[in-house]
Every structure is written in C-alpha cells, then in structure tokens.
Amino acid sequence: MGFFDWIIKLLSEYWMLFLEGSGYTLAMAISGTIIGFLIGLIVAIIKTTPTDPSVNPIKRAVVRFVGWILTVYVEVIRGTPMMVQALIIHYSLFARIGIHPLLSAIIIISVNTGAYMAEIVRGGIISVDKGQFEGAEAIGLRHFQTMFSVVLPQAVRNIMPSIGNEFVVNIKDSSVLSVISITELMFMSKSAGGTYVQFVPAYVICAAIYFIMTFTVTRLLRLVEKRMDGSDSYVICGSQSDYHSMIKVKGGDDGCR
Amino acid sequence: MSVIEVSHLRKVFGDNEVLHDISFSVNEGDVISIIGSSGSGKSTMLRCINYLEKPTSGQILFHGRDIASGDIRIPDYRAKVTMVFQSFNLFNNLTVLDNCTLGMRKVLGISRHQAEEAAVSHLATVGMDAYIKAKPRQLSGGQKQRVAIARALCMKPEVILFDEPTSALDPEMVGEVLNVMKLLASGGLTMIVVTHEMAFARDVSKRVIFMDKGVIEEDNTPDVIFNNPEKQRTREFLSRVLE
Ligand SMILES: Nc1ncnc2c1ncn2[C@@H]1O[C@H](COP(=O)(O)OP(=O)(O)OP(=O)(O)O)[C@@H](O)[C@H]1O
Ligand SMILES: [Mg+2]
C-alpha cells in the first residue's frame, strides 16, 4: 500500500480518534488562551498601578507586596517547562483530590499562558501614549477609570497579534499535556498509527489538522482586529438646525442625534 | 476672593529647579496669558496648577483652600480646573461624542442621555457637533483641538488651563481655535493660557505674565507689557518674538 493509501485508510478507520483528539486540543487551547488572557490582564493592571509618593502608604505597600508575588509567579512559570509544571501540579495535587485530568490541564495551561500574557498586556499598557492618561486625569478621571475606559481598550487592540500568537502556541504546545493522560490530538495520532505501525502517515494527518486549526484561528483573529478598528469612514450629521440635510459619507447605521 | 492663587510655588526635577517662588492670583473671569521663551517653565507651572505635577513646595489655593490639604479631592478639583493640551490628548479609542461624555458620566455622575445632550451643545459651541460619530484619527488638528476644548467645557469647569493650544497646528488652523477661545473669553470663562500667539495675548487677555528662567519677570496689563514694559528682559523677549 502506498503512502496516500495509508493516509486514507487511517482516516477512514480512525477519524473518531482524530476528531476526539482535536476536540481536547481545542478545548485546552481556547480555554487556556481566554482564561490566561484574563489572568494576564489582572496581573498587568495590578503591576501598573501607580506607587508614587502621592498614593497613600498602606495602598502603596499592598500594591508593592502583591506586585512582588506576581513577579515571582511570572518568572517561575516562564522559567520552567509546562510539561514539568503539569507533572508536578497534577500528580502532587490535582490527581490526589480527584480533579478530572481535562480540568487539571485547563488550569495548568491557563496559569502558564497567564504568565506570558501578563508581560504582553503590561507591554501594551505602557506603550499607550502618556498623553492618554494625562488627558483623562486632567478632567478628573481616576486611575482605574482611565485604565478601563481609555487605556486598556487601546492596549488590548495593540496586543491582538501577540494574543493570537499565544493562541497558536497553545494549540500546538498543549500536546505536552498528554503526560497527564489527556487524549489530545498528538496522543491520538500516535494511537492511530500504532495498530499498523504506520506512524508517519498518522503524523502527517496530525500536522495537517494542527495547521488547519492554527490557520483558522489566525484568520479569525484578524477579523476581530478589523472589527475593533471600526470603519474608516464616519457620518457627518447635519447641524441641529439643519437636521434633515444629513450628509452620509458612507455606511449604514448613522447614529446621528 | 481669587479663584486660584499660586503661592510661592517651587518645582524641582532632580537637581534642576525649574520654578522658583512663583506667586500670582487669578480672579473670576480673568483671561491671563503666560508668555516666555522655551524652557522657562510655563508648562511645568500649568501642570502644577492642574496637579499633574506635584509642587516641590508652595501652595495652589482654590477659592482660598490649599488643594493639597485634602479638603477637596484632586479628581474633583481637576474637573473644576481642567486642562487643554498642545497635543490634544483626545481618547483615541472613543468617538468625538464619547470623548466629551466620558468625564461627565464618570466624574460628575451624569446619566448618559443628559451627558450626550450637554456634549452636543458644547460641541456646537466649538462648531464640531456634526462630527459626533468621528474618531480622533479622522479629524484635522484644528478640529481635534476644538473637540478637546468641548471636552473640557463639558466638565462645567470654573477655570480652563491651556498649554500652547495652537502650537501643534498648521497655520491655517490656528485661527479657528483662537476664535473659539475668544468666544469663551467673552463669555466670561476664567482662562490661563500659555501661548506664543502674541496677538491673542495682547487683544484678549486681561493680564499678561512674562516668565523667564522659572520666575515671573513681569505681571502686567497687555497694554503695559506690549507698549511700555517695565522690565528690560520683557522688552528683549518681545523684540525677539515680534519682529
Ligand atoms: N518631567 C520632567 N523631568 C525633568 N525635567 C523636566 C520635566 N519637565 C520639564 N522639565 C524641565 O523643566 C524646564 C521647563 O520646562 P517646561 O516644559 O515647563 O518649559 P516651557 O516654558 O513650557 O517650554 P516650551 O515653550 O518649550 O513649552 C525645562 O528645562 C525642562 O527640561
Ligand atoms: Mg511648554
């Protein structure tokens, strides 16, 4: 039998395995990226809270202390392989208290992604023009109001490419979580190839599926970026007195008052 | 009583003393122009008044009360003594309308509907009410600055501080912004304006303050400053910029 015949044979016999494996992989990558992003957001917000002398001393001490703990978290997680983290955390803790391996895997991948996201989001925040903070402060907005209404929307928009990157990395690197017995795509491909000892065709199928997933995710995120940018045109609303002579530059819903 | 009184203000960055013992007061309805050469500390002084920079020593009094005393919270004070910047600093992620309503809703606690109504009327004052749906990146410099002025007006401030509001603009857009400022001045708004527009300082302001190397060299009526200045340095500066 030729190479392509093996591919077809494996696909027709074991498509369920590939499908199930892809399901696990996607479940881990999607939840890991979303939860990891939220963790990163919180960490970055805390770490960019001002601690200059004008802030009250108790708040400053708390922010500094929590910031120090978060630095340890970021450095330790980024400095060790996820596979090792998974083996240690799952078998010493989660497996003992009976947490399902998938949940365990999602927690591990989220905590891991969170450490990377924290630095990505922090970079996004400090790259927003200082004038944006000052413009908000000068009319009386407080730090967190400025953060949520003005700075974070711009920071998140700017780091969308990096978020996409983390998503793609998670799709691929979640394969290491088979060490805590998650039957994700990589593991399933190995099983599918095992029966006939045809590993290469199985892994080619596996690679193709990974590529389809990562490519789709990249394209989808591009679309999200476009949505965030909004349209390039806007509507000129006639002046109040001249309400009916509304000039439409382009596009649908005009939202004039 | 004066609305704002700056009293023995000093500001030091590292070991660079940028402002030495600045004192002056501003009464309700005053339009005060601050002139002086680059690096003389004009922006730093204005930023201290808005408390974007913390004075090293000295006080800023608002209706006679030290703003550092905690009697008034700094964000509430800033809503009353708000600032317009050379670089506009409009919120890039928000439309013109939302730029104007954000402060009213978050700082003043006004409902969205009422805030939008007020914003449209202030935008009409500056001639920008047709652009409520536009984003800052879609506007010209002069338009952005007019929106920034409307955003400041929305806070119903007692004082607006302007830091070289026309310096980043192409020459043909300077006029539209100055016209809006003249309109506000004639409406009785209290304004402190750092400017290089000598015609504005001369024609619109009630007092002109000339700053040099971190001190107030001369604080006088425009008539005296421009026609018969008391200080040699004022004379030198004006002859340089007015040639
Ligand atoms: N954040 C800062 N840190 C250190 N030095 C500063 C800072 N801000 C201003 N300075 C210094 O203070 C001095 C006065 O600056 P300032 O911006 O107030 O001058 P200015 O009169 O507004 O000048 P221009 O007309 O060019 O705007 C300058 O020497 C400047 O380098
Ligand atoms: Mg300046």
Side-chain angles (χ1 to χ4, degrees):
Chain A
M1 252 188 3
F3 181 73
F4 288 104
D5 301 318
W6 276 114
I7 287 187
I8 289 165
K9 184 171 169 65
L10 290 181
L11 266 179
S12 59
E13 272 179 41
Y14 297 118
W15 61 273
M16 266 304 291
L17 291 188
F18 289 112
L19 195 66
E20 193 188 326
S22 305
Y24 276 112
T25 294
L26 273 182
M28 289 188 292
I30 292 174
S31 29
T33 307
I34 293 173
I35 301 169
F37 170 67
L38 295 177
I39 294 174
L41 202 60
I42 293 166
V43 173
I45 289 170
I46 295 172
K47 290 190 80 171
T48 53
T49 302
T51 54
D52 50 281
S54 60
V55 179
N56 99 44
I58 297 170
K59 186 180 160 201
R60 195 169 46 179
V62 171
V63 170
R64 288 235 171 109
F65 178 69
V66 174
W68 180 80
I69 291 177
L70 294 177
T71 305
V72 172
Y73 155 66
V74 169
E75 295 305 333
V76 169
I77 295 292
R78 291 202 309 175
T80 53
M82 184 161 73
M83 191 197 284
V84 177
Q85 294 160 11
L87 288 169
I88 295 174
I89 299 176
H90 182 70
Y91 289 115
S92 74
L93 183 67
F94 291 164
R96 291 184 179 206
I97 55 177
I99 290 182
H100 188 278
L102 181 61
L103 182 58
S104 191
I106 288 175
I107 294 173
I108 288 159
I109 198 170
S110 301
V111 167
N112 191 280
T113 309
Y116 289 90
M117 288 284 195
E119 285 300 282
I120 293 172
V121 178
R122 197 174 66 87
I125 290 172
I126 57 184
S127 71
V128 170
D129 178 21
K130 216 165 145 269
Q132 298 286 303
F133 281 98
E134 294 195 339
E137 274 178 43
I139 57 170
L141 288 157
R142 285 148 211 267
H143 174 77
F144 289 109
Q145 292 174 328
T146 307
M147 213 55 184
F148 286 106
S149 302
V150 177
V151 176
L152 283 178
Q154 295 180 48
V156 170
R157 166 62 192 91
N158 292 341
I159 61 171
M160 278 306 284
S162 307
I163 294 175
N165 223 4
E166 283 301 306
F167 204 153
V168 166
V169 166
N170 278 344
I171 290 175
K172 298 185 296 182
D173 287 5
S174 56
S175 59
V176 305
L177 293 172
S178 60
V179 296
I180 55 170
S181 66
I182 303 289
T183 51
E184 45 67 53
L185 180 57
M186 184 70 198
F187 178 90
M188 289 302 210
S189 306
K190 203 166 158 188
S191 315
T195 327
Y196 303 103
V197 203
Q198 284 296 334
F199 290 108
V200 174
Y203 287 141
V204 167
I205 295 170
C206 168
I209 298 175
Y210 271 121
F211 182 76
I212 291 168
M213 290 196 285
T214 55
F215 189 76
T216 312
V217 161
T218 321
R219 293 293 116 177
L220 283 178
L221 287 179
R222 278 287 153 72
L223 280 181
V224 173
E225 280 184 42
K226 279 223 165 121
R227 281 292 293 275
M228 288 172 119
D229 285 341
S231 94
D232 276 336
S233 63
Y234 58 92
V235 172
I236 294 184
C237 305
S239 70
Q240 298 299 75
S241 53
D242 197 14
Y243 209 74
H244 298 287
S245 68
M246 206 172 66
I247 309 162
K248 260 199 177 160
V249 175
K250 198 183 146 194
D253 164 42
D254 57 66
C256 290
R257 297 170 51 90
Chain B
M1 192 167 44
S2 46
V3 182
I4 285 186
E5 190 179 337
V6 176
S7 166
H8 301 294
L9 170 65
R10 270 177 70 243
K11 178 67 189 178
V12 180
F13 289 113
D15 47 12
N16 179 13
E17 182 158 339
V18 174
L19 299 175
H20 325 268
D21 198 30
I22 300 274
S23 297
F24 68 99
S25 64
V26 183
N27 292 321
E28 199 182 320
D30 280 359
V31 175
I32 296 184
S33 292
I34 315 251
I35 61 174
S37 47
S38 180
S40 57
K42 307 178 299 293
S43 298
T44 306
M45 186 192 76
L46 218 54
R47 292 165 61 84
C48 283
I49 297 177
N50 187 257
Y51 224 65
L52 283 175
E53 301 286 356
K54 200 171 188 242
T56 306
S57 67
Q59 281 123 36
I60 312 290
L61 306 175
F62 180 58
H63 293 295
R65 284 193 295 184
D66 185 351
I67 59 168
S69 68
D71 282 358
I72 177 167
R73 290 154 70 122
I74 296 298
D76 298 332
Y77 165 74
R78 284 182 176 144
K80 295 197 185 307
V81 180
T82 177
M83 185 149 168
V84 169
F85 299 85
Q86 179 175 351
S87 50
F88 327 121
N89 295 348
L90 290 181
F91 308 134
N92 293 328
N93 58 317
L94 300 178
T95 61
V96 165
L97 186 65
D98 292 340
N99 261 276
C100 291
T101 56
L102 185 66
M104 286 191 275
R105 290 168 46 218
K106 304 275 170 180
V107 181
L108 306 179
I110 295 173
S111 74
R112 177 186 283 275
H113 180 75
Q114 280 180 319
E116 288 185 351
E117 213 122 272
V120 170
S121 91
H122 289 301
L123 283 166
T125 306
V126 302
M128 285 299 292
D129 52 333
Y131 294 85
I132 52 175
K133 291 311 264 181
K135 288 275 184 76
R137 68 178 139 87
Q138 296 162 324
L139 304 178
S140 73
Q143 291 175 324
K144 282 187 211 174
Q145 194 60 296
R146 286 186 282 143
V147 172
I149 292 172
R151 178 175 76 179
L153 288 173
C154 283
M155 305 310 290
K156 289 217 175 302
E158 292 183 38
V159 182
I160 299 185
L161 312 169
F162 292 84
D163 190 5
E164 300 195 27
T166 58
S167 295
L169 302 180
D170 290 339
E172 67 265 30
M173 293 171 186
V174 170
E176 65 191 57
V177 172
L178 289 180
N179 285 339
V180 167
M181 292 170 63
K182 284 178 196 160
L183 184 73
L184 300 181
S186 65
L189 180 71
T190 311
M191 297 161 57
I192 306 178
V193 187
V194 172
T195 185
H196 289 300
E197 293 294 326
M198 292 304 145
F200 178 88
R202 188 183 55 221
D203 302 336
V204 183
S205 42
K206 181 170 169 206
R207 256 163 60 211
V208 177
I209 291 178
F210 169 60
M211 278 183 73
D212 189 44
K213 300 199 178 79
V215 297
I216 292 183
E217 189 68 22
E218 188 163 352
D219 177 348
N220 234 319
T221 62
D223 183 43
V224 174
I225 291 267
F226 286 98
N227 299 323
N228 198 10
E230 285 168 1
K231 296 285 177 68
Q232 183 59 29
R233 283 196 177 283
T234 318
R235 202 182 301 269
E236 283 166 11
F237 171 75
L238 287 172
S239 71
R240 244 182 302 135
V241 298
L242 287 177
E243 67 206 17

